[in-house]
């Protein structure tokens, strides 16, 4: 894990990814989360930005949405006009590509098997659940969320594609404290995946599995 210039949880995701046949996608997601946002929403064109990016939105969360945007970016060869039309920060996306190349080289050096999940996204989310399980939140009966580790009340950040959704369990990349405590960069997961990742830890915390 120390060989990767990443937060430990992201290094873990990369090292676990061959088990879930999704190394290529995890490298992309980890790279996207390791740089400043690749999206920009100018105040005067916020509605337009949201509208043009609707085709990239995944009901499985922000990680999958960002993956869709990156794949579209690569398909057009990182064209500047495409970035402008889709309100994508081309400079930050270029940094993502650089980080990804660096991580891929490290994987090759240490014999980490590289393969793509292709159209299967559930194994990508399952891999993330195994690596980021400490950053999980659960939907409460009153429609709010609480983190699974400390039961801290949290709310989905308005920038998330899941803002108007209520999935039972989600992973978050970041806690943001403003007027309330928001969770940002979200991924929908199954409780069974969290339990598989850490059965002793989640044995008494999860409502949605039979332990």
């Amino acid at each position: 894990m120390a060989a990767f210039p990443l937060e430990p949880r992201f290094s873990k995701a990369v090292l676990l990814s061959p088990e879930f046949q999704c190394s290529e996608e995890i490298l992309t997601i980890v790279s996207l989360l390791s740089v400043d946002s690749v999206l920009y929403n100018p105040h005067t064109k916020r509605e337009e930005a949201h509208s043009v990016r609707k085709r990239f939105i995944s009901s499985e969360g922000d990680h999958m949405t960002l993956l869709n945007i990156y794949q579209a970016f690569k398909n057009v060869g990182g064209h500047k006009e495409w970035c402008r039309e889709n309100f994508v920060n081309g400079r930050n996306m270029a940094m993502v590509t650089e980080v990804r190349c660096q991580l891929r080289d490290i994987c090759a050096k240490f014999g980490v098997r590289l393969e793509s999940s292709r159209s299967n996204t559930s194994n990508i989310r399952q891999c993330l659940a195994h690596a980021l399980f400490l950053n999980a939140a659960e939907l409460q009966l009153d429609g709010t969320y609480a983190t699974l580790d400390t039961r801290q009340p949290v709310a989905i950040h308005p920038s998330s594609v899941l803002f108007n959704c209520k999935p039972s369990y989600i992973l978050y990349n970041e806690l943001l404290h403003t007027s309330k405590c928001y969770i940002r960069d979200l991924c929908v997961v199954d409780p069974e995946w969290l339990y598989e990742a850490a059965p002793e830890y989640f044995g008494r915390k999860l409502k949605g599995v039979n332990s």
Side-chain angles (χ1 to χ4, degrees), residues 38-57:
V38 297
L39 307 179
Y40 68 94
N41 300 293
H43 290 294
T44 57
K45 296 185 177 182
R46 188 165 291 173
E47 291 301 319
E48 182 183 349
H50 289 171
S51 178
V52 298
R53 289 202 295 253
K54 279 183 179 177
R55 64 184 180 276
F56 303 122
I57 289 177

Side-chain angles (χ1 to χ4, degrees), residues 13 52-53 77 124 132-133 170:
V52 298
R53 289 202 295 253
I124 302 171
L132 310 178
F133 61 83
I170 48 181

Side-chain angles (χ1 to χ4, degrees), residues 29 32 38-39 53-72 93 121 159-162 186:
I29 290 170
L32 284 158
V38 297
L39 307 179
R53 289 202 295 253
K54 279 183 179 177
R55 64 184 180 276
F56 303 122
I57 289 177
S58 168
S59 61
E60 295 173 338
D62 301 303
H63 296 73
M64 298 301 112
T65 298
L66 285 171
L67 181 62
N68 291 340
I69 292 171
Y70 177 84
Q71 290 172 339
M93 195 65 95
T121 58
S159 65
S160 174
V161 299
L162 299 178
L186 310 179

